[in-house]
């Protein structure tokens, strides 16, 4: 039996897979004396302050692989390690403060024998501050080469398994391996984290569930995530069976980073369509509201390490290689491409475009050479083998057709070469082409620009005069993450061979002054948006996103991968039924105000009529003469009067209080606000226009208001149309005494001076003037219009109108930011609460009846009565 993914988080590793857990626990790292929190517990105490520590700021960088090179000596059998100077994870340290301690958590790109793991782990911790996650071979295979490379990687690059021989269908066992590895990574992070004061920065799609595991253990963990791949559109992403689990995993971060706005936009759209979440931009920062927390969205492309490239440019070996290349291709236009052997890199299409260029322009044969450097594939599979075979075949065909004994149009380097040799080709090439079909970022164009700029030392060694003009030309696919930032490049559609061939021709034929202008434009950007700038900007925004952690109360809710943290203001807490019933019994007069939709009736319910149980409960409440119960709703008075006709003592405030009825036998009172209804003749045609243009929307016509509903429309389009309608109505009704408001999936136009807050204030003043001031106030609602009711009841209760300050229970439905001080989770809890109060009222009535009956019996027997 396959376990449900929602339960995977709480499963033991031996329940999930048969992979052995051989790694041993490493003691936690302390850079200096400080406080280590009890990581096994979840802190929900509202009054707990920030943990004080004298340790310096620490950041834990978590990625699939550690930024290390490794070598095992054959003679001694000892492992040797060194930093990978070209790793982004290592380079980003330059963007952090020199006082910041950096610890890395990740795997090694080599299998280490179990007997050696403890020794190596201690060595890496002591010498490099790296914490290795030793994964069993089978688990690593199913995780990385399985779920990551066979399912997530193709999906995030817009490739779906449309048939069995074109991609792999979703495999639950591979996903279980993905969950297991993310859980192991979380265990390693928890071993080295000191407290909530440490920052954790998780990288890339391999670890998208890691934030859930970490947030479950430390509710206030300071956690950032950066995705280095594209994020697909919702139409593609929604095909993933575990789509919600991964979205919720990412949303357990405090800040989520993307290279481009397109990737962020797709993610936001998925959150809106699949989870029903709202997002907005405030002062340039985009945030998603998730359980009372605002999850920040960061859009910033990563850069290159300028210093690292410049140091390699000045090496004698690099200079020698540059001179060798320039001599070899003297008199020819040299083009360069550097790509991984991957079906998404578009190498074959690049070669076909070059073939078309040579076919159309015979004069370029013998004058143009494309050096295509192919990096080793990061994964294995038939798709990689097929891509490699196709590339080799095309290169051979082009060389046979257009080459000769001393000239080959395509020079294919399909073996590993040192990085300084790649740099040498960058320096020598007049044009660099990146033709990927889909790529997250791709730093090749940035590296090319920096190398073409060169250094003074390199110029001296090459006998190039100081101040000589620098030139470069770029051809970049539209579907590469770096494309938007390279405004001087030729942007091409890689599927259009004509477009790419034309761009190649223009790049070759371009004059020197234009090459120089394009290069200067690119170098200004690349030199200012380097990897240090990227790291510094992300960590600064992460710090800003976490600044309110200790100003809120936190609850961990949800099971399995659906776990999330609810963060609310310190004074906000769940309403206790026992506390309310006890207060209700002690009180002499009560006023109870209830919203209907979303409070007594679930929003998702198709049938909107109140059930017999609700009617019975309301009758019981109203039967107590000390209870004044009101339904305060935005609905029209006709349906409300019909639904609650049997509740004779129930008060109704319809259309947000425009109409009021104290009980079934009294007449309806209209609002004293007199508004010319001609405004409806202006607003309704406008709403009709948007209704016709928005499938799934409709207009609700009330006696005093008009409401445009879009809950059945496309979430994104409906929200966009609602915003436009709001602006449109505000403009055309600017001179009318009405107010236009946007609520929960609605846009409403109603007269000024009408609202739930105002009607509650009016009802309370009437009760006080009639000599019936309540000492128990309860108000329950669920949406934006009810917030006015909460604010009004709290402010009125604290005024001098009441002879005795009443006890107030302002309660919202759902755990979300609110002006209310209490919450219940759903409509079922509302019903249970009201039934408990009704039972209390019923019992009190029975007790009074018994007392009256007893007193009557005593009087009939002429016995003395002792006052209770």
């Amino acid at each position: 039996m396959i376990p449900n993914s929602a339960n995977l988080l709480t499963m033991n590793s031996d329940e999930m897979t048969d992979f052995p857990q051989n790694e041993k626990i490493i003691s936690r790292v302390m850079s200096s004396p400080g406080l280590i929190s009890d990581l096994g517990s979840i802190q929900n105490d509202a009054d707990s302050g920030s943990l004080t520590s004298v340790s310096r700021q620490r950041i834990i960088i978590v990625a699939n692989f550690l930024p290390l090179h490794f070598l095992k000596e054959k003679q001694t059998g000892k492992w040797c390690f060194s930093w990978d100077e070209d790793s982004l994870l290592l380079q980003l340290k330059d963007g952090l403060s020199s006082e910041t301690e950096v610890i890395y958590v990740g795997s090694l790109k080599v299998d280490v024998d179990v007997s050696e793991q403890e020794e190596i782990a201690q060595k890496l911790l002591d010498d490099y501050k790296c914490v290795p996650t030793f994964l069993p071979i089978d688990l690593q295979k199913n995780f990385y080469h399985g779920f990551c490379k066979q399912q997530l990687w193709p999906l995030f690059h817009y490739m779906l398994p449309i048939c069995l021989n074109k991609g792999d269908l979703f495999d639950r066992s591979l996903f279980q391996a993905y969950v297991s590895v993310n859980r192991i990574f979380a265990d390693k992070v928890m071993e080295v984290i000191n407290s909530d004061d440490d920052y954790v920065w998780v990288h890339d799609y391999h670890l998208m569930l890691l934030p859930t595991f970490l947030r479950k253990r430390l509710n206030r963990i300071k956690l950032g995530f950066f995705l280095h791949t594209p994020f697909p559109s919702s139409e593609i992403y929604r095909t993933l069976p575990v789509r919600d689990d991964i979205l919720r995993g990412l949303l357990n971060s405090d800040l989520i980073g993307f290279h481009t706005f397109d990737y962020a936009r797709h993610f936001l759209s998925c959150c809106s369509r699949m989870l029903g979440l709202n997002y907005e931009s405030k002062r340039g920062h985009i945030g998603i509201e998730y359980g009372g927390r605002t999850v920040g969205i960061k859009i910033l492309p990563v850069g290159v390490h300028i210093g690292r490239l410049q140091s390699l440019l000045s090496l004698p070996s690099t200079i020698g290689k540059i001179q060798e290349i320039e001599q070899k291709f003297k008199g020819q236009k040299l083009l360069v491409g550097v790509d991984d052997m991957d079906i998404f890199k578009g190498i074959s299409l690049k070669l076909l475009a070059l073939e078309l260029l040579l076919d159309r322009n015979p004069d370029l044969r013998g004058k143009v050479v494309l050096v295509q450097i192919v990096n080793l594939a990061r994964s294995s599979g038939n798709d990689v083998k097929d891509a490699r075979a196709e590339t080799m075949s095309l290169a051979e065909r082009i060389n046979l057709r257009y080459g000769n004994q001393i000239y080959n149009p395509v020079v294919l380097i399909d073996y590993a070469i040192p990085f300084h040799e790649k740099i040498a080709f960058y320096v020598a090439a007049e044009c660099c082409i990146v033709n990927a079909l889909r790529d997250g970022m791709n730093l090749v164009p940035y590296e090319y620009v920096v190398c073409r700029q060169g250094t003074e030392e390199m110029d001296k060694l090459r006998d190039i005069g100081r101040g000589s003009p620098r030139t470069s030309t770029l051809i970049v696919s539209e579907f590469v993450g770096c494309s938007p930032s390279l405004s001087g490049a030729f942007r091409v559609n890689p599927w259009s061979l004509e477009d790419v061939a034309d761009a190649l021709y223009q790049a070759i034929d371009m004059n020197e002054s234009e090459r120089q202008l394009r290069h200067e434009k690119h170098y200004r950007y690349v030199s200012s948006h380097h990897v240090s700038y990227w790291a510094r900007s992300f960590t600064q925004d992460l710090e800003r996103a976490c600044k309110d952690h200790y100003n809120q109360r936190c609850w961990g809710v949800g099971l399995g991968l659906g776990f999330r943290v609810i963060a609310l203001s310190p004074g906000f807490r769940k309403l206790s039924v026992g506390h309310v019933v006890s207060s209700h019994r002690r009180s002499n007069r009560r006023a109870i105000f209830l919203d209907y939709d979303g409070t007594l009736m679930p929003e998702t319910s198709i049938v909107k009529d109140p059930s017999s149980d609700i009617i019975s409960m309301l009758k019981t409440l109203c039967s107590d003469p000390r209870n004044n119960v009101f339904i305060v709703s935005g609905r029209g008075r006709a349906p409300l009067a019909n639904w609650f006709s049997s509740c004779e003592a129930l008060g109704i405030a319809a259309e947000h209080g425009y109409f009021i009825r104290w009980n079934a036998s009294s007449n309806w009172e209209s609002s004293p606000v007199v508004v010319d209804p001609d405004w409806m003749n202006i607003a309704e045609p406008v709403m009709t226009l948007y209704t016709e243009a928005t499938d799934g929307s409709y207009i609700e016509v009330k006696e005093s208001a008009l409401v445009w509903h879009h809950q059945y429309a496309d979430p994104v389009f409906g929200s966009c149309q609602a915003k436009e309608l709001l602006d449109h109505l505000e403009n055309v009704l600017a001179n009318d005494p009405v107010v236009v408001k946007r609520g929960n999936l609605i846009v409403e136009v109603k007269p000024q001076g009408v609202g739930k807050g105002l009607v509650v204030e009016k009802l309370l003043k009437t009760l006080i003037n009639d000599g019936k001031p309540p000492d128990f106030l309860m108000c329950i609602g669920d949406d934006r219009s009810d917030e006015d009711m909460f604010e009004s009841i709290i402010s009125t209760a604290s005024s001098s109108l009441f002879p005795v300050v009443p006890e107030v229970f302002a309660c919202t439905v759902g755990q979300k930011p609110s002006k209310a001080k209490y919450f219940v989770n759903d409509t079922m809890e509302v019903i249970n609460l009201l039934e408990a109060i009704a039972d209390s009222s019923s019992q009190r009535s029975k007790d009074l009846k018994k007392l009256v009956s007893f007193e009557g019996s005593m009087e009939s027997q002429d016995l003395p009565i002792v006052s209770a």
Side-chain angles (χ1 to χ4, degrees):
M1 180 178 178
I2 297 175
N4 188 299
S5 64
N7 299 322
L8 290 175
L9 188 67
T10 56
M11 295 176 65
N12 293 325
S13 57
D14 56 344
E15 291 176 323
M16 295 180 56
T17 62
D18 294 326
F19 304 122
Q21 297 293 322
N22 296 319
E23 60 273 13
K24 296 186 179 180
I25 296 177
I26 304 172
S27 58
R28 292 199 185 120
V29 176
M30 293 279 298
S31 59
S32 56
L35 294 178
I36 302 180
S37 63
D38 181 4
L39 302 179
S41 64
I42 297 177
Q43 300 174 0
N44 289 336
D45 186 4
D47 299 324
S48 62
S50 175
L51 292 172
T52 58
S53 174
V54 297
S55 59
R56 58 176 173 162
Q57 189 180 69
R58 302 166 79 238
I59 184 167
I60 301 171
I61 307 293
V62 192
N64 186 30
F65 292 119
L66 293 171
L68 295 172
H69 288 308
F70 56 86
L71 177 67
K72 188 170 187 179
E73 296 180 353
K74 294 182 179 180
Q75 295 179 349
T76 62
K78 291 185 177 180
W79 287 95
C80 298
F81 297 94
S82 62
W83 287 117
D84 179 2
E85 299 289 345
D86 298 318
S87 171
L88 176 69
L89 301 177
L90 184 63
Q91 293 174 353
L92 66 80
K93 288 177 66 175
D94 285 357
L96 307 177
S97 167
S98 59
E99 298 299 317
T100 301
E101 179 185 6
V102 179
I103 295 176
Y104 293 98
V105 176
S107 297
L108 292 170
K109 297 180 182 179
V110 64
D111 182 43
V112 178
D113 189 81
V114 176
S115 62
E116 301 176 289
Q117 289 180 3
E118 185 172 359
E119 179 184 354
I120 290 176
Q122 193 62 51
K123 177 179 175 60
L124 293 180
L125 184 61
D126 294 340
D127 297 347
Y128 298 95
K129 293 192 177 178
C130 289
V131 180
T133 55
F134 297 113
L135 303 178
I137 297 176
D138 290 342
L139 180 58
Q140 170 71 13
K141 178 181 177 182
N142 287 347
F143 159 69
Y144 183 70
H145 297 290
F147 191 73
C148 289
K149 284 300 182 181
Q150 292 179 21
Q151 297 184 348
L152 287 181
W153 180 261
L155 181 79
F156 279 29
H157 290 76
Y158 289 73
M159 181 178 176
L160 296 176
I162 55 177
C163 56
L164 292 179
N165 62 343
K166 295 292 184 183
D168 296 292
L169 296 176
F170 179 79
D171 188 332
R172 178 70 60 174
S173 65
L174 298 182
F175 179 63
Q176 290 177 0
Y178 186 80
V179 175
S180 294
V181 171
N182 276 253
R183 186 178 182 183
I184 291 171
F185 271 76
D187 292 339
K188 290 298 179 183
V189 172
M190 296 308 297
E191 289 176 10
V192 297
I193 196 168
N194 274 350
S195 69
D196 293 347
D197 292 330
D198 291 348
Y199 288 86
V200 179
W201 188 359
V202 183
H203 289 263
D204 224 0
Y205 69 103
H206 315 91
L207 301 171
M208 291 189 290
L209 296 180
L210 180 57
T212 293
F213 289 100
L214 293 176
R215 185 69 64 185
K216 184 176 185 181
R217 302 188 191 189
L218 277 178
N219 287 179
R220 293 186 176 93
I221 191 170
K222 299 174 180 178
L223 179 59
F225 184 96
F226 201 95
L227 184 68
H228 294 275
T229 68
F231 196 93
S233 66
S234 59
E235 289 78 11
I236 298 294
Y237 180 78
R238 72 195 315 165
T239 64
L240 184 64
V242 290
R243 61 191 189 185
D244 289 358
D245 294 333
I246 289 178
L247 285 179
R248 294 187 188 280
L250 293 174
L251 289 168
N252 275 318
S253 307
D254 292 298
L255 181 67
I256 308 172
F258 299 92
H259 285 306
T260 72
F261 173 71
D262 276 348
Y263 304 160
R265 177 170 56 86
H266 294 157
F267 174 75
L268 294 171
S269 176
C270 288
C271 291
S272 174
R273 294 175 184 276
M274 296 166 208
L275 301 181
L277 302 178
N278 298 318
Y279 58 89
E280 61 181 349
S281 178
K282 291 182 178 179
R283 297 184 177 180
H285 297 285
I286 303 174
I288 306 177
E289 291 298 322
Y290 185 57
R293 297 169 50 242
T294 299
V295 181
I297 301 298
K298 177 74 171 176
I299 302 167
L300 183 67
V302 71
V304 295
H305 196 290
I306 306 292
R308 169 64 175 164
L309 291 172
Q310 290 177 340
S311 65
L312 291 174
L313 284 170
S314 302
L315 292 176
S317 55
T318 306
I319 303 299
K321 190 62 181 180
I322 295 171
Q323 293 170 343
E324 177 188 330
I325 295 170
E326 290 176 336
Q327 182 62 35
K328 181 177 180 179
F329 297 103
K330 189 175 182 179
Q332 295 175 330
K333 298 283 187 178
L334 184 61
L335 316 175
V336 69
V338 179
D339 302 279
D340 293 343
M341 179 49 71
D342 190 302
I343 58 175
F344 300 109
K345 300 304 181 183
I347 300 175
S348 296
L349 292 178
K350 187 189 302 185
L351 296 179
L352 288 173
L354 177 67
E355 183 180 44
L356 181 61
L357 175 72
L358 296 175
D359 182 64
R360 288 181 173 180
N361 303 276
D363 57 308
L364 294 179
R365 299 171 191 172
K367 298 179 181 179
V368 174
V369 176
L370 170 63
V371 174
Q372 177 61 52
I373 302 173
V374 181
N375 299 324
L376 297 179
R378 301 187 186 185
S379 63
S380 57
N382 293 330
D383 55 345
V384 175
K385 294 177 182 177
D386 292 344
R388 176 181 172 81
E390 186 177 62
T391 299
M392 300 293 289
S393 175
L394 282 172
E396 184 178 355
R397 186 179 80 189
I398 294 171
N399 287 337
L400 287 174
R401 182 176 298 179
Y402 301 108
N404 52 49
Q405 293 180 347
I406 60 172
Y407 166 71
N408 281 326
V410 179
V411 176
L412 195 62
I413 302 176
D414 63 337
Y415 51 86
I417 62 173
F419 190 52
H420 76 270
E421 291 192 16
K422 292 181 186 177
I423 286 180
F425 279 105
Y426 287 149
V427 174
E430 296 186 25
C431 176
C432 177
I433 175 171
V434 176
N435 204 50
L437 308 180
R438 187 78 59 176
D439 209 348
M441 185 58 196
N442 202 313
L443 296 177
V444 167
Y446 290 3
E447 293 172 347
Y448 170 73
V449 170
V450 174
C451 292
R452 290 290 290 182
Q453 179 70 19
T455 65
E456 290 186 10
E457 187 175 353
M458 186 185 78
D459 291 344
K460 291 178 182 177
L461 295 173
R462 298 179 64 205
D463 295 327
I464 296 177
R466 186 175 182 179
S468 298
R470 312 295 176 175
T471 64
S472 65
T473 311
L474 283 170
I475 299 174
V476 179
S477 165
E478 298 171 357
F479 304 99
V480 174
C482 64
S483 175
S485 60
L486 298 171
S487 56
F490 291 100
R491 297 194 183 105
V492 295
N493 176 1
W495 278 278
S496 174
L497 300 182
E498 290 81 4
D499 284 356
V500 181
D502 288 344
L504 285 168
Y505 184 84
Q506 293 180 60
I508 294 169
D509 194 51
M510 189 185 302
N511 60 58
E512 287 296 306
S513 60
E514 186 174 350
R515 290 176 190 272
Q516 183 179 350
L517 289 173
R518 289 175 182 263
H519 171 80
E520 289 173 354
K521 187 174 188 179
H522 289 155
Y523 186 73
R524 279 196 300 271
Y525 177 85
V526 173
S527 60
S528 59
H529 291 74
H530 40 70
V531 66
S532 299
Y533 170 81
W534 171 76
R536 183 167 57 252
S537 179
F538 185 88
T539 51
Q540 286 175 350
D541 275 16
L542 177 59
E543 189 173 345
R544 180 188 58 81
C546 300
K547 65 182 175 62
D548 292 330
H549 272 22
Y550 287 95
N551 295 332
Q552 298 174 313
R553 300 182 71 209
C554 294
W555 288 266
V557 299
L559 299 175
L561 298 178
F563 175 86
R564 66 190 186 281
V565 165
I566 303 297
L568 300 167
S569 60
F572 193 69
R573 56 189 182 274
K574 188 169 184 179
L575 189 59
S576 167
V577 174
H579 179 44
V580 174
V581 171
S582 175
S583 177
H584 179 269
R585 285 175 177 171
R586 293 194 307 269
S587 61
N588 295 314
R589 293 190 181 279
R590 307 103 177 196
I592 301 172
F593 304 96
L594 305 171
D595 175 43
Y596 184 69
D597 292 287
T599 302
L600 295 177
M601 179 62 58
E603 289 283 4
T604 55
S605 176
I606 297 176
V607 178
K608 295 299 183 182
D609 300 21
S611 66
S612 57
D613 291 339
I614 292 178
I615 295 295
S616 175
M617 177 266 295
L618 290 174
K619 281 184 176 180
T620 304
L621 277 176
C622 295
S623 65
D624 188 335
R626 292 176 300 173
N627 290 342
N628 293 281
V629 185
F630 295 89
I631 297 294
V632 184
S633 172
R635 285 188 175 270
R637 57 178 171 171
L640 291 174
N642 179 46
W643 290 343
F644 299 105
S645 58
S646 60
C647 302
E648 296 182 358
L650 179 68
I652 298 176
E655 299 191 18
H656 298 296
Y658 190 84
F659 298 105
I660 300 174
R661 190 182 73 179
W662 286 84
N663 51 57
S665 60
S666 63
N667 295 323
W668 287 98
E669 301 175 13
S670 297
S671 170
V673 178
V674 179
V675 179
D676 189 338
D678 285 348
W679 67 265
M680 287 192 174
N681 298 328
I682 301 173
E684 190 168 6
V686 176
M687 286 189 174
T688 301
L689 178 67
Y690 283 81
T691 302
E692 292 173 351
T694 311
D695 188 33
S697 65
Y698 63 94
I699 302 172
E700 179 186 1
V701 180
K702 301 179 183 179
E703 294 181 68
S704 67
L706 290 174
V707 186
W708 186 76
H709 296 262
H710 62 92
Q711 68 255 43
Y712 303 121
D714 177 273
V716 177
F717 184 57
S719 178
C720 178
Q721 290 289 81
K723 183 177 183 299
E724 290 296 322
L725 176 60
L726 182 73
D727 293 340
H728 196 159
L729 289 171
E730 285 178 340
N731 286 331
V732 299
L733 298 173
N735 297 322
D736 291 278
V738 295
V739 60
V740 185
K741 282 193 172 183
R742 187 175 176 184
N744 183 26
L745 301 176
I746 65 167
V747 175
E748 182 173 23
V749 186
K750 60 183 180 181
Q752 292 177 353
V754 175
K756 288 187 177 183
L758 295 171
V759 72
V760 165
E761 184 179 352
K762 177 181 178 180
L763 292 172
L764 287 175
K765 287 181 177 179
T766 302
L767 289 173
I768 294 171
N769 294 334
D770 290 346
K772 302 175 181 179
D775 53 357
F776 174 96
L777 299 178
M778 187 169 72
C779 174
I780 308 178
D782 74 300
D783 65 13
R784 296 182 188 178
S785 63
D786 298 314
E787 294 297 316
D788 295 336
M789 191 161 54
F790 301 146
E791 186 176 22
S792 176
I793 197 173
I794 292 171
S795 62
T796 304
S798 60
S799 67
S800 59
L801 295 174
F802 289 87
V804 178
V805 178
E807 190 159 8
V808 179
F809 297 95
C811 178
T812 187
V813 181
Q815 300 181 39
K816 57 182 182 289
S818 174
K819 294 175 182 176
K821 293 185 178 181
Y822 300 94
F823 73 89
V824 291
N825 287 319
D826 50 35
T827 55
M828 184 58 66
E829 290 193 1
V830 175
I831 301 301
N832 293 338
L833 171 66
L834 294 176
E835 285 178 345
I837 296 175
D839 290 342
S840 174
S841 291
S842 177
Q843 185 61 43
R844 183 64 181 268
S845 298
K846 291 178 181 179
D847 292 343
L848 288 174
K849 288 179 180 179
K850 287 181 180 179
L851 180 61
V852 171
S853 176
F854 174 75
E855 289 177 349
S857 174
M858 296 287 284
E859 288 175 355
S860 66
Q861 299 179 34
D862 293 329
L863 296 175
I865 300 175
V866 180
S867 177

